[in-house]
Amino acid sequence: MKRRDFMKNTIVAIAGASVPLSALEFIDPREVLAANPEIHWAFLINTYSCVGCGFCVKACKTENDIPFEANASRTWVERYVYTKDDRRYIDSPKSAQYGFTDARIDLGEHLGYQDVDPNNVGKAFFVPKLCNHCATPSCTQVCPVGATYKTDSGPVLVDRSWCIGCGYCIMACPFGARFFHPVLKVVDKCTFCYHRITKGVETACVNACPFGARKMCNIKDINDPVTQIILNERVGVLKDEFGTKPQAFYIGLASEVR
Amino acid sequence: MVENVMHVHGELWTVKELFVLPNEYVYWSIQIVMYPFMTGLVAGAFVLSSLYHVFGVKQLKEIARFSLVFSFALLPVAMMPLLMHLQQPFRGIHVMMTPHFTSAISAFGIVFMAYAFIVASELWFEYRKHFVLTTQALAAQPQRSGFDTLRMHFFKVLTLGAMDISHEAVQKDHNAVKKLASLGIPVACFLHGYAGFIFGSVKANALWMTPLMPVIFICSAVVSGIALCILCYVVTMEIRKFMAKRKISRWSKDPNAPSVEELQSAEQLEIKIVSNYLLYFMIAAITLEILDLIFRGYTQVKSWDILREVIMERDFNKIFIMQYAFGNALPFLLMVLPNRTVRRTTIATVLVMFGVFMMRWNVVIGGQAFSLSFSGFMHYHLPIIPHDWETFREGLGGALLVMATPFVIFYFLNKIFPAFMKEEEAH
Ligand code: SF4
Ligand code: SF4
C-alpha cells in the first residue's frame, strides 16, 4: 500500500467509525426541550410603580395557603427611607401583608418604632421581593435528598413529600426566600404559582397588583412586551455577586437594596 | 385583628433587631453547634488512639485503647444532633435512599458508615483475643449461672468463630489494627473536615464562607478529642486509684492488680506526653483561626462592616473572652508553665473543651447573628425550659441529652471492650 493510500484509508476509517457512534445516540425529547426550551419564566418588578399596598403578599398567602399569622412569607415588600441627614431605615412589618399603614419604621422587638420627620425624608421607595428562581440556584445544589429542584421551564420547586427539613437550602439561599412552613414542617418558597402559570393564568401576586409593579414573562419569547423591557431597558438583579443568576429583574434598583 | 399564635420554625428563639428579612431566623441552632462538636470529639479521640497504633508512641498504650473505645461510643452521637434538628426526622433515611451528590451533606451517610466500619473492625481485632479468653474462661467454669452462660454465648458470637489465639494469629490481629488505624486517620480527618466544608461552602453566609473552614475544624477537632480523652482518662484513673486504695472489686481478689503508686506513675507519664500533643494541635488551630480573622480584617470586603460589628462588638465576650482567653490562652499557660501537674493539665483540658465548644457556637450561631441584608441582627436565645417537643430538642435539654449519651454508651461498651485490661490479655 502506498503511503497516500494508507492515509486516505485511515481517514475514511475514522470518518466511518464516528458515524455509527453519533447515530446510536439516543434522542430524548425531554432533553432536547431542556436544551432548547420554548418557555423560561422570568419576573419583572418596577420599583417605581410599587406603593407598598401589600396586596401581592395578601394574595400570595391566600393562594398558597401560608397562614396570615405566620411571620414568614413567599413574597414580601421592603420599605426604604433615607433621611436628608443620611440616616437609613428599612423595614417590612409582617412581610407587608397588610401594607405599610404606619409611617413609623419597625426596628424589631427590642428597639420598637422609629419616628421619621416627613420633611426630613430624602428619598423613600418600596421594593417587592420573592424567590428569584435563579438560573444556577445554590438552594437546589445543597439539598441532600434532591427534594428541591429546578424545572425545565425555570421555576424552582420543593417536593413536600420528600423534604427532610434540614434547612440547608434556607442557609444556601442568599436572598432569604425560603422558610419552614409552620403547619407542614417542610421548606416552603415561592413557586411562581406553578399551578397557575402552567395553565396559562398569571401568578396571584401579578394578578393582585393594582399598579402593574409585578409582571411575568417568558423570556424566550422575544415578542412578549415584558421580555422586550428586560432585553431593551436598564434592569438589574439582586446580589449578582453570588453567581446564582437571578431571574427576577428590577427596574430602578438602588445599590442599597440587598 | 385577632391572630392566633403560630410560630414559624426558629421564631421562638430568634429576636430580630433593625432590618432582618422576614423569612430569616436562626434556623441552625444548638443541635448544629453540637454536631461539629461531637464529630470533632470522635475524630480527635480516634486520632489520639492512632498515635499509638500507627506511630508506635509506646507510652500511649493505655490511653490509646481507651480512646478507641470512647471514639466508638461517641460515634452514634455524632449523627444524633443532625437527626434531632431535622424538621422531618423520620425522613432522615432519604439521605441514604436518594443522595443528591451535588450537596455537601449528601455523602454524610457514606462517609460516616465507612468510618464506623473502620473503627468497629479495628476494635474487633484489638479485642478478639479478649473475646476468646473470656469465652474460654466462662466455658471452663464448672457451675455457670444462667447469666454467665448467656455471656459466654454472647462473647462466642463476638469472636465470629475466630478462636485461634496463637502467637502468629494475635500478631496478625495486631498488624490489622495498625493498618486500620492508619486508614482511619485520613477518614477521621475527612469526616470532620467535611463538617467544616458543609459550613465553609455556604456562599450565602459571609462568616462561614472560607476554604480554611475544614482545616480549622480538623485542628480544633483533634484538640477537643484529645482534651476529652485526657479528662476521661484522669477521671477513670482517679476512680481506679480510689478502688485500689480501698481494695474494692478487682483489688480485693487479684494480688497482681496494679498498686496505687503504679497507677499514679503510669498516669503521670501518659498525661505528660498526650498533653504535649494537645499543645501542638492547639497552636495549629489558633494560628489558623487568627489567620482567618486577620485576613478578613485586612481585605475588608463588603461583608466586613457587619462582620466587624458582630465579631468586635456584639459577640466580643463570646469570641475574645470566652473562646480565646478562657478556652485557649489560659489553658495554654496552664500547660506551658513549668512543673506541669496532672491536676493542672486536667483543669486545662476542661477549659480547652469549653473553648472548642465556644468556637463551634461562635461559628454556627455567630454566622446567623446578622441579616443577609447586612442591615440588621439576630439574637439567639437558647430555650432552657422546654414547653414542647420542639423547644426540648432544639434547646438545652436536647443538647444535654446529646452530651450525656456517649457516657451511657461507653458504660455499656466498656463491659464488652474493657478499656483498661490486665496486661497479659492486651497486646
Ligand atoms: S432566590 Fe434563593 S430560593 Fe430562589 S432560586 Fe435563588 S437561591 Fe433558590
Ligand atoms: S430543607 Fe428540604 S428542600 Fe431544603 S435542603 Fe433540606 S431536604 Fe432539601
Side-chain angles (χ1 to χ4, degrees):
Chain A
M1 199 193 289
K2 278 200 203 124
R3 190 154 150 238
R4 240 185 86 192
D5 286 345
F6 173 73
M7 296 278 274
K8 215 166 104 191
N9 289 347
T10 317
I11 290 167
V12 170
I14 290 173
S18 53
V19 169
L21 259 184
S22 52
L24 274 176
E25 218 174 283
F26 199 61
I27 297 172
D28 178 354
R30 281 194 58 233
E31 258 173 42
V32 176
L33 192 67
N36 316 282
E38 286 144 18
I39 300 178
H40 190 98
W41 295 105
F43 211 84
L44 178 67
I45 293 153
N46 187 346
T47 58
Y48 292 113
S49 306
C50 179
V51 300
C53 65
F55 285 4
C56 49
V57 183
K58 221 179 215 169
C60 173
K61 283 203 157 183
T62 312
E63 175 74 28
N64 296 300
D65 278 334
I66 309 298
F68 272 74
E69 53 270 44
N71 284 320
S73 182
R74 292 178 170 200
T75 184
W76 65 97
V77 182
E78 295 169 4
R79 168 170 65 180
Y80 289 73
V81 178
Y82 291 55
T83 63
K84 287 181 182 147
D85 49 358
D86 201 31
R87 259 198 282 267
R88 301 158 179 224
Y89 301 105
I90 317 170
D91 70 346
S92 180
K94 293 223 75 145
S95 315
Q97 63 189 22
Y98 304 123
F100 291 85
T101 47
D102 195 331
R104 297 171 305 167
I105 307 287
D106 177 6
L107 298 182
E109 256 168 74
H110 270 349
L111 303 176
Y113 291 89
Q114 168 82 37
D115 281 310
V116 181
D117 174 10
N119 296 320
N120 191 24
V121 174
K123 63 175 169 184
F125 52 89
F126 297 101
V127 180
K129 283 193 180 172
L130 70 169
C131 166
N132 294 283
H133 296 273
C134 308
T136 50
S138 47
C139 55
T140 58
Q141 180 198 7
V142 301
C143 178
V145 295
T148 182
Y149 55 96
K150 191 162 175 67
T151 55
D152 292 345
S153 60
V156 172
L157 305 179
V158 178
D159 181 346
R160 286 179 169 172
S161 68
W162 206 250
C163 168
I164 60 174
C166 63
Y168 203 12
C169 56
I170 303 182
M171 288 296 153
C173 170
F175 307 93
R178 294 171 166 252
F179 56 95
F180 279 118
H181 194 290
V183 180
L184 302 171
K185 308 279 179 215
V186 287
V187 144
D188 205 280
K189 67 180 283 296
C190 163
T191 58
F192 265 176
C193 281
Y194 197 69
H195 58 295
R196 291 170 64 106
I197 56 172
T198 44
K199 295 202 183 80
V201 187
E202 61 192 356
T203 69
C205 58
V206 170
N207 185 253
C209 180
F211 302 94
R214 291 172 175 247
K215 293 211 168 79
M216 249 192 115
C217 67
N218 171 14
I219 207 162
K220 295 277 161 164
D221 175 8
I222 49 165
N223 297 320
D224 188 317
V226 180
T227 307
Q228 286 281 326
I229 300 177
I230 296 177
L231 295 180
N232 301 331
E233 304 286 322
R234 292 168 209 180
V235 292
V237 293
L238 296 168
K239 304 195 189 193
D240 64 339
E241 68 270 25
F242 290 103
T244 62
K245 307 196 183 86
Q247 298 299 301
F249 298 89
Y250 284 84
I251 298 176
L253 200 58
S255 69
E256 298 85 2
V257 179
R258 283 191 279 239
Chain B
M1 70 215 67
V2 186
E3 285 189 345
N4 304 334
V5 197
M6 173 179 288
H7 294 290
V8 183
H9 179 67
E11 198 177 351
L12 282 169
W13 49 80
T14 310
V15 175
K16 298 182 175 186
E17 187 183 333
L18 299 172
F19 180 59
V20 177
L21 299 175
N23 298 335
E24 273 187 290
Y25 293 100
V26 178
Y27 285 107
W28 282 5
S29 61
I30 184 73
Q31 291 298 355
I32 303 298
V33 177
M34 296 306 289
Y35 159 62
F37 187 63
M38 297 317 273
T39 41
L41 294 178
V42 182
F46 186 81
V47 168
L48 180 59
S49 83
S50 301
L51 283 177
Y52 163 68
H53 293 297
V54 181
F55 304 109
V57 186
K58 285 278 170 304
Q59 299 89 329
L60 292 183
K61 193 170 189 169
E62 277 220 333
I63 204 166
R65 202 177 307 120
F66 168 80
S67 336
L68 186 61
V69 180
F70 205 77
S71 98
F72 196 59
L74 279 164
L75 252 184
V77 187
M79 66 189 224
M80 209 170 132
L82 281 187
L83 274 179
M84 289 188 60
H85 129 97
L86 291 187
Q87 284 287 288
Q88 300 284 347
F90 295 114
R91 294 187 187 166
I93 192 70
H94 290 187
V95 179
M96 303 289 217
M97 285 157 71
T98 54
H100 183 236
F101 285 114
T102 59
S103 163
I105 319 188
S106 63
F108 177 81
I110 296 162
V111 177
F112 183 80
M113 291 315 244
Y115 179 68
F117 178 76
I118 291 175
V119 180
S121 19
E122 185 177 338
L123 260 182
W124 185 78
F125 282 114
E126 177 87 19
Y127 280 93
R128 193 183 65 87
K129 186 175 168 192
H130 167 74
F131 296 154
V132 175
L133 288 177
T134 315
T135 316
Q136 285 170 351
L138 286 169
Q141 275 178 22
Q143 282 148 343
R144 244 179 286 126
S145 62
F147 178 67
D148 273 349
T149 314
L150 211 68
R151 269 188 74 209
M152 184 187 83
H153 287 301
F154 179 67
F155 276 100
K156 200 164 179 181
V157 170
L158 279 183
T159 63
L160 302 179
M163 302 293 277
D164 183 0
I165 47 169
S166 63
H167 182 67
E168 296 82 58
V170 172
Q171 202 53 43
K172 271 190 195 150
D173 283 358
H174 196 68
N175 287 339
V177 168
K178 195 168 165 180
K179 285 204 188 95
L180 284 167
S182 22
L183 182 66
I185 295 180
V187 180
C189 288
F190 191 81
L191 176 74
H192 197 69
Y194 177 63
F197 187 85
I198 288 176
F199 291 98
S201 61
V202 176
K203 64 180 166 191
N205 192 304
L207 185 78
W208 293 347
M209 194 177 140
T210 159
L212 281 182
M213 201 59 103
V215 200
I216 293 180
F217 265 50
I218 291 174
C219 289
S220 52
V222 179
V223 168
S224 64
I226 296 182
L228 179 68
C229 286
I230 296 183
L231 182 67
C232 294
Y233 179 74
V234 171
V235 171
T236 346
M237 286 306 258
E238 286 310 312
I239 298 175
R240 294 177 81 209
K241 275 194 276 182
F242 179 80
M243 298 207 300
K245 233 181 251 165
R246 300 281 163 94
K247 304 248 177 287
I248 316 178
S249 107
R250 200 178 134 199
W251 284 268
S252 61
K253 38 190 188 214
D254 186 352
N256 293 331
S259 68
V260 181
E261 290 72 33
E262 278 167 9
L263 286 173
Q264 183 103 17
S265 69
E267 180 183 7
Q268 265 165 6
L269 185 67
E270 303 243 336
I271 296 298
K272 187 166 155 240
I273 297 171
V274 181
S275 45
N276 282 342
Y277 283 106
L278 180 59
L279 275 178
Y280 304 148
F281 279 105
M282 264 176 86
I283 295 172
I286 301 173
T287 313
L288 286 169
E289 280 169 43
I290 301 286
L291 168 66
D292 181 52
L293 195 61
I294 292 177
F295 193 79
R296 287 170 191 277
Y298 189 82
T299 52
Q300 299 202 353
V301 292
K302 197 160 155 190
S303 56
W304 175 244
D305 279 340
I306 192 121
L307 285 187
R308 196 201 50 227
E309 180 152 357
V310 169
I311 296 171
M312 301 296 182
E313 287 162 36
R314 289 168 184 265
D315 279 358
F316 184 86
N317 284 341
K318 283 190 217 117
I319 296 177
F320 290 98
I321 307 294
M322 283 152 94
Q323 180 186 334
Y324 287 125
F326 284 104
N328 285 325
L330 188 61
F332 195 83
L333 277 181
L334 282 176
M335 282 191 287
V336 289
L337 288 181
N339 305 324
R340 176 168 68 198
T341 58
V342 170
R343 179 172 307 149
R344 234 168 63 195
T345 316
T346 315
I347 298 172
T349 58
V350 176
L351 289 172
V352 164
M353 273 168 35
F354 171 73
V356 174
F357 179 81
M358 281 318 291
M359 179 256 175
R360 308 293 192 230
W361 179 287
N362 291 331
V363 168
V364 176
I365 306 294
Q368 299 169 83
F370 55 93
S371 164
L372 289 167
S373 68
F374 290 169
S375 304
F377 300 92
M378 285 186 280
H379 304 270
Y380 173 61
H381 294 282
L382 175 73
I384 310 266
I385 300 162
H387 44 80
D388 56 8
W389 173 233
E390 174 138 320
T391 39
F392 171 75
R393 68 193 172 93
E394 300 253 18
L396 186 66
L400 290 180
L401 183 69
V402 170
M403 253 190 226
T405 313
F407 296 97
V408 179
I409 300 180
F410 178 74
Y411 176 80
F412 289 107
L413 271 187
N414 195 33
K415 306 244 175 257
I416 307 168
F417 310 99
F420 302 94
M421 278 193 298
K422 280 174 251 152
E423 271 318 292
E424 64 276 18
E425 275 187 25
H427 49 248

